[in-house]
């Protein structure tokens, strides 16, 4: 375990789209955006090998990174904008005004880059210093609250690596749109202006809302008694990543995603249950699993793959403790998850009027596991010209039982899983996960 280290701020600046390139614009939010308005900010870090001193980064690399970021923000301008939350019953919106920008910090760290980018348990606080913080959306009866959508931090680990830590409000974009932005920026930085990446598609009229779900969701959020409260990640936590191979025998016609999620759901609840403060548990105690599905090719109306914003359907699964903890718990969970994914074929918006109420319900009930990221987002293809990332981490996991998924960097078809657990649960993790996987970490 690495000891304490320091992160020193070297420079603070802002990057905006090129002057005059984007007009002042009000971007309405669809119901698919509004469902995320009280989600904690998304925080992701990309680590790259970089065997040069900090001065080389600040003098030679950073000016070009800023320029390519500015040119990319011209097309992905909502990331430079602000979320504007007017008093109810006005709906929130994203407001871009000429000059709006992304706050960009450069820092230098004396942490051990190789330790941070390994897969064994690492202190979670070491990662929080590598991403900027952003305020959450908030509403009051008399004032409009305006919060930035995105901030970023470059951290140089002299002569060993750099990290790009990005925090953004999920209300602006889902994983697919964010990774489209990152890959476009990386391609721009590599000066591949003629790259095959297409521009983001900004027409929100694509997302039809005949039932008025934006109003339904905002009313549900405003009515939530603990408005704005989200579960904090416990302070003393560690993060662990592990690569899992593809499932072998296809006795059940299910995917890598389904098997991985079933495994994680069952074993994470075993880990949660090992906590002394978890109250009385019985066979009928109910557990929740909330994955999401990208809907860009799942609606009966066409939505381009490059659609910018949120286009995710929530899946809500519940299961009794006796079904999940038993000998065939993982098979039970896999069948349940696989069934929910098949249900998407009936239309991803079946039951959508209850999504926000369901989210509030499961967060209040606790005993929930959720998923961030996806192997389909191909985070390890984000190459600024320094090679593939050595590691990518989702920092915000830990709240609401979230674990992260990505494609495995070095093995086709394998999947990388990230979790954050209390330090007091490491022994329990070793017993539950290592035995279940029968792997050496
Ligand atoms: C609903 C799903 C999770 C279900 O995934 P599944 O893998 O079970 O099912 P599927 O139908 O998509 O794929 C079934 C199998 O076909 C393969 N498959 C699918 N499409 C393919 C294609 N175009 N080419 C080749 N193979 C393909 C899959 O890899 C899988 O195989 P195999 O089993 O071999 O793998 C997924 O479809 C989905 O929507 N994923 C995206 C979720 C997402 O965007 N999350 C990000 C949330 S935002 C977020 O969290 C913020 C952030 O990260 O920044």
């Amino acid at each position: 375990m690495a000891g304490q280290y320091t992160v020193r701020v070297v420079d603070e600046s802002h990057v905006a789209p090129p002057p005059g390139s984007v007009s002042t614009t009000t971007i309405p939010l669809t119901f698919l955006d509004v469902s995320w308005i009280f989600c904690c900010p998304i925080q992701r870090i990309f680590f790259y090998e970089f065997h040069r001193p900090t001065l080389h980064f600040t003098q030679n690399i950073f000016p070009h990174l800023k320029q390519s970021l500015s040119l990319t923000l011209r097309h992905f301008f909502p990331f430079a904008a602000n979320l504007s939350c007017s008093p109810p019953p006005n709906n929130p919106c994203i407001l871009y005004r000429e000059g709006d920008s992304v706050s960009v910090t450069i820092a230098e760290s004396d942490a051990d880059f190789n330790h941070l980018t390994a897969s064994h348990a690492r202190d979670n606080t070491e990662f929080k210093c590598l991403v900027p913080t952003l305020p959450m959306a908030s509403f009051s009866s008399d004032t409009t609250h305006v919060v930035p959508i995105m901030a970023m931090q470059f951290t140089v680990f002299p002569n060993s690596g750099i990290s790009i830590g990005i925090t953004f409000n999920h209300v602006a974009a889902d994983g697919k749109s964010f990774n489209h932005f990152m890959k476009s920026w990386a391609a721009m930085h590599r000066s591949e202006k003629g790259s095959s990446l297409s521009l983001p598609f900004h027409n929100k009229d694509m997302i039809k809302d005949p039932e008025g779900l934006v109003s339904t969701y905002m009313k549900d959020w405003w009515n939530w008694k603990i408005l704005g409260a989200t579960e904090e990640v416990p302070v003393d936590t560690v993060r662990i990543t592990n690569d899992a191979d593809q499932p072998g025998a296809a006795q059940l016609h299910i995917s890598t995603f389904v098997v991985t999620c079933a495994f994680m759901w069952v074993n994470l609840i075993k880990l949660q249950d090992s906590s002394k403060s978890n109250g009385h548990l019985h066979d009928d105690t109910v557990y929740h699993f909330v994955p999401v599905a990208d809907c860009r090719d799942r609606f009966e109306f066409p939505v381009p793959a490059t659609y910018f914003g949120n286009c995710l359907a929530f899946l809500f699964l519940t299961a009794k403790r006796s079904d999940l903890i038993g000998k065939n718990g993982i098979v039970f969970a896999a069948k349940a998850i696989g069934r929910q994914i098949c249900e998407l074929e009936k239309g991803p918006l079946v039951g959508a009027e209850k999504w926000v109420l369901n989210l509030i319900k499961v967060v209040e009930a606790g005993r929930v596991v959720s998923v961030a990221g996806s192997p389909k987002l191909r985070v390890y293809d984000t190459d600024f010209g320094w090679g593939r990332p050595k590691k990518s981490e989702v920092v915000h996991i830990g709240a609401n039982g979230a674990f992260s998924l990505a494609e495995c960097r070095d093995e086709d078809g394998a999947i990388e899983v990230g979790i954050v657990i209390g330090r007091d649960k490491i022994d329990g993790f070793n017993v539950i996960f290592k035995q279940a996987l029968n792997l050496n970490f």
Side-chain angles (χ1 to χ4, degrees), residues 36 42 44 168 170 174-176 178-179 246-247 254-258 292-295 298 312 315 341 344 371-374 376-377 394 396 413:
W36 293 96
I42 303 299
R44 186 177 273 281
F168 71 96
H170 209 316
D174 58 15
K176 185 148 188 176
F178 171 68
N179 281 280
Q246 273 183 303
I254 48 181
S255 63
T256 312
F257 174 86
V258 168
V292 291
D294 179 18
C295 292
R298 287 188 159 107
L312 296 170
L315 311 181
I341 292 171
L344 288 166
V371 197
S374 161
K376 294 187 173 175
L377 300 178
V394 182
H396 65 275

Side-chain angles (χ1 to χ4, degrees), residues 232-305:
E232 290 290 322
V233 180
V235 179
D236 194 15
T237 52
V238 294
R239 64 172 48 236
I240 304 165
T241 40
N242 180 49
D243 299 339
D245 290 328
Q246 273 183 303
Q251 281 173 317
L252 299 161
H253 188 68
I254 48 181
S255 63
T256 312
F257 174 86
V258 168
V259 174
T260 309
C261 287
F263 179 86
M264 292 304 292
W265 187 17
V266 167
N267 287 299
L268 279 174
I269 65 169
K270 284 183 184 167
L271 196 61
Q272 285 174 9
D273 285 1
S274 64
S275 166
K276 290 183 194 111
S277 60
N278 217 9
H280 178 66
L281 299 168
H282 46 80
D283 279 357
D284 290 336
T285 301
V286 171
Y287 293 81
H288 305 271
F289 179 55
V290 188
V292 291
D294 179 18
C295 292
R296 283 172 179 76
D297 58 359
R298 287 188 159 107
F299 290 126
E300 70 268 20
F301 48 87
V303 177

Side-chain angles (χ1 to χ4, degrees), residues 24 97 106 137 198 220 363 371 382 387:
T24 291
R97 286 166 303 196
I106 307 182
S198 16
D220 292 340
V363 167
V371 197
T382 313

Side-chain angles (χ1 to χ4, degrees), residues 162-175:
I162 54 174
S163 65
I164 304 179
I166 300 185
T167 303
F168 71 96
N169 195 315
H170 209 316
V171 80
D174 58 15

